[in-house]
Structure formats: structure tokens, C-alpha cells
Amino acid sequence: MRGKFITLEGVDGAGKSTQMACIARLLEEAGIDHVVTREPGGTPLAEQVRRLLLDVREEDVAPLAELLLVFAARSQHLEARILPALEAGVWVVSERFTDATYAYQGGARGVGERTIGQLESLVQDALQPNLTLLLDAPLNAAAQRMGDREGADRFEREGAEFFRRVREGYLSRARRHERIVVVDAARPVEEVGAAVATALRPLIAAHLSELAGCREDQ
């Protein structure tokens, strides 16, 4: 059985790291073999590209150059980690994937969706997540959480208008794709975790049912 691909999205400060741990715990409790990863990054080479993207620098980074770096990291991530795991029946949980590219490089940087779509098709073919959880939080709440961090990266230093466009980019994607479940991330952490679990359980249940059916056929 091919593994399932789950992605977690949201603006910086939406609480993704906390909910990634929640998802991993749910899969572990269900006895589902899984790997947890992130984008950009996930492999040694892709993590090097991540540093290129996030490091604060005096030189302005052209939006198209930024986009190409994102997909370069994604290509390596897919070939070296995501696809082998899925083919081996292992579930993959990734903090961010291509929806983030449409939100950040598309919605916020202004790169056209057609351009992003061409690279998406080239790099990942028809691969899409089975489920995407979008943690949506008002920008003031997200900004307050980010304010507690030290050493903000190049993206975290962007202004409120940038993140407004990112958020709208995400919500626009959610309106067009049924696989994207929007979770109100402004609520207490426990309530957000419960909503994430509610969205994830049908996929887990379907997998366990399918697995049981395969064992009966053997």
C-alpha cells in the first residue's frame, strides 16, 4: 500500500510546529509508520538551499530566483525522501509544500500562478497531498507569536502587508481545493489540536480499514 501524504500550512507564527507533533502522535498511536519533514529542506542538500532562502542579506532576492530555489529544494526533497517513503508505504507529514509556494512566492511576491504551475508540473508531476491542514490565524496573533522569537529570518522580517497577501493566497487555495481543511489557529492550542485530529481521523480510519481488507485477502 502506498503511503499517504499530509501537509501542514499556514503563515509564520500560526503554530505549525506544535501541530506537527500532534499529527505525529496520532499516527504513532494508530500504528502507522511515518516520517516528519519540512520545506524548504528535508534533505542535506535541500537544507542548504533553505539557508540560502532564509538568510538575511543586503542583496535583494529576485522573486523568480526565490521561486527557482524553492523548487530546486523541492525536487531534491521529493526524489531523495518523499517519493521513496510513499512508495514503501510510509506516510509523509511535511511542514509546508507547494501550497506555500503559491501563497508566498505567488500571492505575496507576485509571481504568476501559471509560472508556478509549470514548475509544479515539472518537479512533482501529478503528486498532490492526500490532506492539507491550513492553520489560519489573524495576522496580529501570528505576529505576536513571532515576536517572541530571536534571529528572525528573511521572511519573518517582512511587513504586515506581505503576510496579509500570504494569508489571502492560502485562503484562495483552500476555496479551490477540497483536500485543504482550514483550521482556526487563533483558538487555544488544545482546541486547535482537537480540530487537527478531527480532520485527520477519517484518513487514518480509511487506511486501517483498507489494511484490514488486504490482510483478509491474503
Side-chain angles (χ1 to χ4, degrees):
M1 291 174 56
R2 184 179 172 87
K4 303 298 184 185
F5 185 24
I6 302 167
T7 57
L8 190 64
E9 299 281 1
V11 299
D12 296 87
K16 292 182 297 300
S17 298
T18 299
Q19 298 311 319
M20 285 286 286
C22 175
I23 293 170
R25 184 171 62 253
L26 286 169
L27 295 180
E28 184 175 349
E29 291 172 353
I32 295 175
D33 192 12
H34 63 280
V35 296
V36 174
T37 188
R38 68 177 182 176
E39 286 212 347
T43 78
L45 176 58
E47 288 291 334
Q48 290 182 4
V49 179
R50 178 187 178 89
R51 288 193 288 274
L52 287 175
L53 283 162
L54 299 189
D55 282 353
V56 177
R57 61 187 76 247
E58 294 183 4
E59 178 184 14
D60 290 336
V61 180
L64 184 56
E66 185 176 280
L67 177 70
L68 292 170
L69 285 171
V70 167
F71 271 106
R74 181 164 299 136
S75 178
Q76 182 66 19
H77 192 201
L78 281 165
E79 293 297 325
R81 191 167 193 193
I82 294 176
L83 293 176
L86 294 176
E87 290 297 329
V90 177
W91 286 34
V92 176
V93 184
S94 180
E95 182 178 333
R96 294 209 170 110
F97 194 59
T98 308
D99 291 309
T101 307
Y102 280 99
Y104 279 80
Q105 284 70 49
R109 298 290 192 211
V111 178
E113 286 198 356
R114 181 180 178 184
T115 300
I116 298 174
Q118 289 173 330
L119 289 171
E120 178 184 23
S121 178
L122 175 66
V123 169
Q124 63 197 67
D125 196 13
L127 177 69
Q128 293 293 331
N130 296 96
L131 173 67
T132 297
L133 298 164
L134 171 57
L135 301 183
D136 180 54
L139 298 182
N140 58 348
Q144 184 176 5
R145 293 169 184 168
M146 284 199 303
D148 298 333
R149 302 178 183 176
E150 295 182 0
D153 64 40
R154 190 170 62 87
F155 286 91
E156 292 170 343
R157 295 190 179 200
E158 294 285 356
E161 176 59 22
F162 177 87
F163 288 106
R164 185 196 67 77
R165 295 195 300 268
V166 170
R167 185 188 184 201
E168 180 51 41
Y170 270 131
L171 293 175
S172 176
R173 295 282 292 172
R175 288 190 290 267
R176 288 181 284 164
H177 298 277
E178 292 184 0
R179 64 175 169 81
I180 301 177
V181 176
V182 180
V183 177
D184 181 2
R187 295 176 292 176
V189 172
E190 295 79 9
E191 293 182 19
V192 177
V196 166
T198 297
L200 185 57
R201 284 193 180 109
L203 193 63
I204 294 175
H207 169 78
L208 295 178
S209 176
E210 185 180 1
L211 186 61
C214 291
R215 287 171 177 166
E216 289 176 1
D217 292 339
Q218 290 177 352

